[in-house]
Amino acid sequence: DGRVDFSGQWFPNGAGQGVSGRFGVDPAAIPQFDPKATPEERPSFQPWALAKIKAMTPTELELSKSSVNCMPRGVPAIWLQNPYTTLIVHKPGLMAQLYEVLNNWRVIHLDGRPLPKDPEPFFHGNSAARWEGDTLVVESIGFDERTYIQPNGWFHSDALKVTERYTRPSMNYLIVEITVDDPKVLEKPWKSAPRRWTLGSGDIYEFYCTNNATFEELTKLREQELKK
């Protein structure tokens, strides 16, 4: 149809580097963040939000990780902290994203429908897409508040709006850029550095969270901490 085709199995470059939530936060502001972070715009938290994150205990920080609590990563975390492959099936009017991590999936309609006025909160939000030249722009609102932007305590409010920009500069590469706009938590929108994904060939495998012993142990530990 004259549009870029984003179909393919995509491998994140530098697999695993995004899992620890090391992107763009001033380590002097939040000691838990890795001071060796890749240069990227730093999120500007409102004072109350920064204080809330800094007050989180190590146990609470662990419980914010989807790999621990068996919750979907959600958007935009699925692009910011995903070391596993993503299979994209792109057809006119529709894009399906099949994430190997925790067998998450997402459908984005490309038929020009607007964002809902009163969206039901979903882990991946409610999305609307448009084309800007060869760039696919996806805007999403209405997110389940149990998800985290990154697994370092960066929470979000019900006002979260996420914009994803997809480009494919060549056959072998997919570029994803994320903008997080959350006026209740951030002082200004945060924009990620471009994330590059490489085209591969193979299968995506089952990845279900079936053993939740770690979550149960951490939950008990957190209850003990709160009693102190």
Side-chain angles (χ1 to χ4, degrees):
D1 62 357
R3 300 291 190 184
V4 175
D5 186 354
F6 294 105
S7 296
Q9 182 191 22
W10 298 101
F11 287 78
N13 293 165
Q17 291 185 2
V19 178
S20 300
R22 300 182 294 182
F23 300 111
V25 179
D26 185 354
I30 304 180
Q32 301 98 319
F33 283 43
D34 187 344
K36 299 180 181 179
T38 301
E40 187 173 54
E41 180 182 354
R42 297 171 178 173
S44 299
F45 294 106
Q46 295 182 20
W48 76 270
L50 181 59
K52 179 178 178 178
I53 295 173
K54 292 179 67 174
M56 293 179 70
T57 67
T59 302
E60 289 174 325
L61 288 171
E62 282 297 309
L63 288 170
S64 75
K65 299 177 181 178
S66 60
S67 57
V68 171
N69 61 34
C70 288
M71 300 282 280
R73 275 174 167 74
V75 172
I78 198 67
W79 291 110
L80 298 176
Q81 46 165 304
N82 181 5
Y84 298 90
T85 66
T86 297
L87 179 66
I88 293 181
V89 180
H90 185 182
K91 297 180 178 295
L94 185 78
M95 173 190 281
Q97 298 177 351
L98 309 178
Y99 311 109
E100 185 174 28
V101 60
L102 297 176
N103 282 44
N104 287 190
W105 57 270
R106 179 187 183 199
V107 173
I108 300 172
H109 295 282
L110 310 178
D111 56 6
R113 66 184 63 185
L115 288 168
K117 294 182 179 180
D118 187 20
E120 181 177 352
F122 293 134
F123 286 106
H124 294 127
N126 300 259
S127 302
R130 68 179 187 274
W131 288 95
E132 293 182 1
D134 289 336
T135 300
L136 179 64
V137 181
V138 180
E139 295 182 335
S140 303
I141 59 173
F143 292 94
D144 191 303
E145 291 186 58
R146 290 173 291 179
T147 62
Y148 287 78
I149 306 300
Q150 293 182 7
N152 48 26
W154 184 354
F155 65 96
H156 66 82
S157 73
D158 58 356
L160 174 65
K161 179 179 180 180
V162 176
T163 301
E164 304 155 82
R165 299 180 65 88
Y166 297 84
T167 56
R168 189 172 183 174
S170 68
M171 173 66 75
N172 290 328
Y173 296 113
L174 169 70
I175 305 296
V176 182
E177 295 179 83
I178 305 292
T179 299
V180 176
D181 187 3
D182 192 347
K184 293 184 179 180
V185 173
L186 300 176
E187 293 183 337
K188 64 177 183 178
W190 174 83
K191 184 177 180 181
S192 76
R195 299 288 194 277
R196 189 177 73 173
W197 297 66
T198 300
L199 183 66
S201 61
D203 297 317
I204 56 173
Y205 297 97
E206 287 189 352
F207 181 177
Y208 292 102
C209 187
T210 57
N211 185 348
N212 220 11
T214 301
F215 175 76
E216 295 172 357
E217 292 171 358
L218 287 170
T219 300
K220 293 178 181 178
L221 180 60
R222 179 174 181 273
E223 292 173 353
Q224 294 174 4
E225 290 176 341
L226 293 175
K227 293 178 180 179
K228 293 181 181 180

